[in-house]
Amino acid sequence: MTGKTHITYLFDPLCGWCYGASPLLAQLAAAPDLTVSLAPTGLFSDSGARAMDEQFAAFAWSNDQRIGSLTGQRFSDVYRSQVLAKGGMLDSGPATLALTAVALTAGQHELDALRFIQEARYVSGRDVTDMSELQSVLVSVGLDAAASRLASPDSDLLAANRARMASARALTREFAVNGVPGLIVDDGADRTLLKGAGPIQRRRSPRQAVQHRRFTCRSRSQ
């Protein structure tokens, strides 16, 4: 250990509660005595992907309104009409692969890339289940090398993506995590899973947010 507290962030890029937690993650990542690493669980990829039918879209929008009221994060009407109402699949596989491409090419920008992908979906109403759309998002924020890797995924990228999700899923089993988001805090002496609820705006500092051992977004299925 370097004397810093290390935080592992369990998440899925298409989880609304993870988007709601993004301001807190930015605060934690900016704290000089903390380090943050991303651990995508693939909750909504592979067998976890599901059709965005009318019933699920209505559930998602209702949930999104609650997330917005708790966190101040924006869920736009464009997102509702262009993403939820259009159907298709809720599949985080492409977005997770895009983040792995960023991790391999510009790892220091992965948390930013996650935020850009989330905002592309929830604010701009873009289809971030589409590879070409994800490439466009990455290029627009200067992550050209990652976009290039995503355009032609090679065996190294695919293997790294599988390994990251396997590692994250192992942590969910170890800590009995039944959803995302989740924070595992390692202070060098102990590792603790943070969970709970409470408005992040009320936290006086990132360090206090960790010490309080409560997390804004509860583990959810959306």
Side-chain angles (χ1 to χ4, degrees):
M1 294 292 292
T2 63
K4 293 186 176 185
T5 295
H6 181 74
I7 297 173
T8 301
Y9 178 42
L10 299 167
F11 75 100
D12 186 282
L14 299 194
C15 165
W17 289 95
C18 297
Y19 171 56
S22 60
L24 173 60
L25 266 294
Q27 292 178 50
L28 297 177
D33 56 347
L34 302 175
T35 61
V36 177
S37 63
L38 274 63
T41 66
L43 181 65
F44 296 124
S45 66
D46 301 324
S47 62
R50 60 159 297 159
M52 182 66 74
D53 57 28
E54 185 176 347
Q55 181 179 8
F56 186 74
F59 164 77
W61 181 249
S62 175
N63 214 28
D64 294 337
Q65 299 314 290
R66 182 182 174 212
I67 297 166
S69 69
L70 284 173
T71 67
Q73 289 290 84
R74 182 185 174 198
F75 294 85
S76 72
D77 289 335
V78 175
Y79 154 68
R80 186 181 189 184
S81 63
Q82 298 298 315
V83 175
L84 296 182
K86 282 200 170 181
M89 292 293 295
L90 179 72
D91 182 359
S92 63
T96 300
L97 187 63
L99 290 170
T100 299
V102 175
L104 294 180
T105 57
Q108 71 276 22
H109 296 303
E110 188 182 3
L111 188 58
D112 290 331
L114 172 59
R115 175 172 57 85
F116 293 136
I117 290 170
Q118 290 169 326
E119 290 177 350
R121 175 179 174 85
Y122 295 114
V123 179
S124 301
R126 299 173 70 175
D127 180 10
V128 296
T129 67
D130 180 82
M131 286 288 205
S132 61
E133 195 72 25
L134 286 163
Q135 292 167 40
S136 176
V137 171
L138 295 179
V139 169
S140 72
V141 296
L143 296 171
D144 298 66
S148 179
R149 293 290 296 269
L150 189 62
S152 301
D154 56 26
S155 59
D156 289 342
L157 174 58
L158 296 174
N161 193 56
R162 289 192 298 269
R164 273 160 52 96
M165 287 194 290
S167 177
R169 289 168 179 171
L171 287 173
T172 66
R173 292 190 295 270
E174 179 182 353
F175 287 89
V177 180
N178 60 6
V180 291
L183 297 178
I184 297 172
V185 178
D186 183 352
D187 62 6
D190 191 23
R191 292 192 303 162
T192 305
L193 172 68
L194 303 192
K195 54 185 177 180
I200 60 175
Q201 294 89 337
R202 296 181 184 175
R203 302 291 181 243
R204 288 177 291 174
S205 73
R207 167 60 70 180
Q208 288 170 334
V210 170
Q211 290 177 335
H212 198 276
R213 297 191 176 187
R214 298 183 72 195
F215 192 41
T216 301
C217 303
R218 294 174 182 161
S219 296
R220 298 285 174 175
S221 60
Q222 186 273 330

